[in-house]
């Protein structure tokens, strides 16, 4: 049991700003257990419109318990700020890892392990009649032990309405820059009377497949309206290797595949990226997996249970260590000179903490 007593936590450094600037994540040590944790500090005055989403995230995480779902440990409120404590996933998110260490994509064996563990988390969520609605690399967290946990549950929704399972029709809550639309399925974006179910998560996982393997976010440079039109028409991203990467990259394809990928806007950057993809060959089973997940019609996509039996995951061997496959990735380390963390620690030491996950903003 983790106590909501600030004296039990020692902040070590700031990890990142998130949620469009309305929250900051710090690394900390829970002193009674000498365990590393993450503390997300929400600035409530900046996030009044997101208050219900923050509360929903906490209440959902308190209800769900699975090795591949990021758990909730405790939370406390002081004044106009909310502090939420979670385990520290000290390699960060897959998006962080891609941006800093693997701009051209993760090794296929690493993709297999990560996707399998995400599927196990999704299978559990779907059994609990939840749809995640935000499966993406930035919501897949990893630590040095090789543990993989799915976060981002503020977008999750229950299919249980008035005691009955029902199709959903509403869009998930928008993030600060609407980027979540990139991962959403065509049927969810269409907002028609037919609605959508947990199979929409399978489409999102297909987009995440391409994101992990290619390093780039598909459709990230397209306008939202064009991206929506392309999805509804059946356009979809691909795993990029010598068998699928187009020889001639015109402007539209460059935008759709985000072929810059941090390597430069000019011809030199595009040529370098083309050479990287042209040298590699991903397995046929990986291509098949992505193709099945990105089917336009949801009934043609496999369920999470069916997908766990896919030939792609047979390449995983017990000795395989995700941490070893990501060996160049450096874990988050305490920064004793982090002024922001030191100032917050001093401020928090003077707090009178209200222990509550049911607050009133």
């Amino acid at each position: 049991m983790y106590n909501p007593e600030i004296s039990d936590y020692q902040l070590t450094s700031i990890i990142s700003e998130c949620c469009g600037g309305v929250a900051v994540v710090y690394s900390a040590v829970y002193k009674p257990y000498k365990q590393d944790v993450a503390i997300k500090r929400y600035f409530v005055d900046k996030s009044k419109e997101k208050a219900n989403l923050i509360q929903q995230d906490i209440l959902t995480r308190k209800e769900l318990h699975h090795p591949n779902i990021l758990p909730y440990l405790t939370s406390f409120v002081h004044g106009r700020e909310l502090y939420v404590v979670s385990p520290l996933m000290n390699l960060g998110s897959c998006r962080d890892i891609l941006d800093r260490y693997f701009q051209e994509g993760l090794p296929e064996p690493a993709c297999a392990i990560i996707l399998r563990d995400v599927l196990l988390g999704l299978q559990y969520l779907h059994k609990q009649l939840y749809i995640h609605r935000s499966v993406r690399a930035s919501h897949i967290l990893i630590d040095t032990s090789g543990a993989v946990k799915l976060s981002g549950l503020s977008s999750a929704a229950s299919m249980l309405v008035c005691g009955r399972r029902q199709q959903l029709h509403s869009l998930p809550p928008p993030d600060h820059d609407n980027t979540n639309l990139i991962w959403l399925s065509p049927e969810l974006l269409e907002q028609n009377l037919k609605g959508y179910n947990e199979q929409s998560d399978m489409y999102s996982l297909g987009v995440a497949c391409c994101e992990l393997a290619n390093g780039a976010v598909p459709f990230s440079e397209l306008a939202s309206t064009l991206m929506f039109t392309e999805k509804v028409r059946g356009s979809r991203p691909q795993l990029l290797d010598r068998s699928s990467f187009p020889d001639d990259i015109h402007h539209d394809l460059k935008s759709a595949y985000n072929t810059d990928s941090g390597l430069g806007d000019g011809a030199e950057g595009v040529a370098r990226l083309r050479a990287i993809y042209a040298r590699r060959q991903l397995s046929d089973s990986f291509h098949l997996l992505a193709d099945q997940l990105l089917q336009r019609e949801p009934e043609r996509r496999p369920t999470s249970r069916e997908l766990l039996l896919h030939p792609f995951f047979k390449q995983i061997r017990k000795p395989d260590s995700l941490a070893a496959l990501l060996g160049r990735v450096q874990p988050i380390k305490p920064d004793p000179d982090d002024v922001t963390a030191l100032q917050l620690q001093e401020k928090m030491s003077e707090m009178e903490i209200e222990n509550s996950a049911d607050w009133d903003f």
Side-chain angles (χ1 to χ4, degrees), residues 2-6 9 11 22-28 37-44 47 54-55 57-58 61-62 72-86 340-341 343-359 361:
Y2 287 78
N3 296 320
E5 299 292 338
I6 197 56
Y9 298 89
L11 296 188
V22 303
V24 176
V25 181
Y26 295 85
S27 63
V37 296
I39 296 181
K40 183 179 284 190
R41 174 194 186 194
Y42 289 98
F43 305 102
V44 178
S47 58
I54 297 168
Q55 188 172 23
D57 184 22
I58 291 175
R61 285 168 58 191
K62 289 177 71 174
Y72 161 91
L73 299 179
T74 190
S75 64
F76 40 85
V77 177
H78 176 73
R80 309 299 296 175
E81 295 178 350
L82 166 69
Y83 300 83
V84 181
V85 183
S86 303
T340 305
Q343 289 175 340
L344 181 58
Q345 182 70 43
E346 182 177 346
K347 173 186 172 182
M348 292 173 75
S349 66
E350 301 172 355
M351 287 182 181
E352 292 181 3
I353 298 300
E354 173 190 352
N355 176 23
S356 175
D358 298 313
W359 60 90
F361 292 136

Side-chain angles (χ1 to χ4, degrees), residues 1-272:
M1 180 67 181
Y2 287 78
N3 296 320
E5 299 292 338
I6 197 56
S7 59
D8 288 332
Y9 298 89
Q10 176 63 53
L11 296 188
T12 54
S13 63
I14 186 171
I15 298 176
S16 65
E17 184 180 282
C18 59
C19 305
V22 303
V24 176
V25 181
Y26 295 85
S27 63
V29 175
Y30 182 60
K31 292 186 284 189
Y33 296 165
K34 297 182 179 180
Q35 182 172 351
D36 293 328
V37 296
I39 296 181
K40 183 179 284 190
R41 174 194 186 194
Y42 289 98
F43 305 102
V44 178
D45 285 338
K46 294 183 180 180
S47 58
K48 290 180 180 178
E49 295 179 356
K50 295 186 177 183
N52 289 337
L53 299 181
I54 297 168
Q55 188 172 23
Q56 177 63 37
D57 184 22
I58 291 175
L59 295 175
T60 302
R61 285 168 58 191
K62 289 177 71 174
E63 181 180 338
L64 301 171
H65 303 281
H66 187 272
N68 299 113
I69 301 291
L70 183 70
Y72 161 91
L73 299 179
T74 190
S75 64
F76 40 85
V77 177
H78 176 73
R80 309 299 296 175
E81 295 178 350
L82 166 69
Y83 300 83
V84 181
V85 183
S86 303
L88 177 65
M89 305 299 289
N90 62 356
L91 292 187
S93 74
C94 285
R95 187 67 259 166
D96 296 331
I97 292 170
L98 291 167
D99 289 342
R100 296 173 187 172
Y101 301 98
F102 290 91
Q103 289 87 0
E104 301 82 34
L106 299 177
E108 182 173 331
C111 291
I113 295 171
I114 292 168
L115 292 169
R116 177 202 60 189
D117 288 355
V118 170
L119 271 170
L120 289 169
L122 287 176
Q123 182 183 41
Y124 169 77
L125 278 177
H126 297 165
K127 284 182 178 179
Q128 307 305 312
L129 297 181
Y130 275 97
I131 307 176
H132 188 281
R133 304 197 300 182
S134 191
V135 180
R136 51 196 282 189
S138 60
H139 289 154
I140 303 171
L141 309 180
I142 300 174
D143 67 16
T144 47
S145 72
V148 177
K149 297 186 186 293
L150 192 57
S151 65
L153 289 173
S154 59
S155 298
S158 175
M159 292 181 286
L160 194 63
V161 181
C162 298
R164 298 179 59 186
R165 176 193 168 107
Q166 296 188 16
Q167 298 280 97
L168 299 185
H169 297 83
S170 61
L171 282 169
D175 46 13
H176 69 281
D177 54 4
N178 287 325
T179 55
N180 196 45
L181 296 175
I182 291 172
W183 289 267
L184 298 182
S185 66
E187 69 271 14
L188 194 159
L189 291 171
E190 281 181 307
Q191 293 288 281
N192 58 31
L193 294 176
K194 188 176 180 180
Y196 63 91
N197 57 24
E198 67 270 28
Q199 288 306 97
S200 64
D201 279 346
M202 295 296 97
Y203 183 95
S204 299
L205 187 66
V207 180
C209 267
C210 297
E211 184 183 7
L212 294 175
N214 301 339
V217 177
F219 303 118
S220 63
E221 294 182 6
L222 291 179
S224 296
T225 51
L226 181 56
M227 178 270 297
F228 169 78
T229 302
E230 289 298 309
K231 280 190 178 182
V232 171
R233 290 172 54 189
S235 178
R236 52 189 179 182
Q238 292 180 319
L239 301 179
L240 300 180
D241 63 6
R242 68 181 66 174
S243 69
S244 62
F245 194 61
D247 291 332
D248 295 321
I249 307 177
H250 55 75
H251 181 268
D252 291 340
L253 275 176
K254 182 178 183 295
S255 295
Y257 286 117
N258 188 17
T259 51
D260 170 51
S261 190
L263 298 176
D265 288 322
E268 182 180 350
V270 174
R272 179 183 170 192

Side-chain angles (χ1 to χ4, degrees), residues 119 126 198-199 202 293 298 301-308:
L119 271 170
H126 297 165
E198 67 270 28
Q199 288 306 97
M202 295 296 97
L293 287 170
R301 300 172 207 145
T303 65
S304 55
R305 181 178 180 180
E306 292 169 341
L307 209 59
L308 285 166

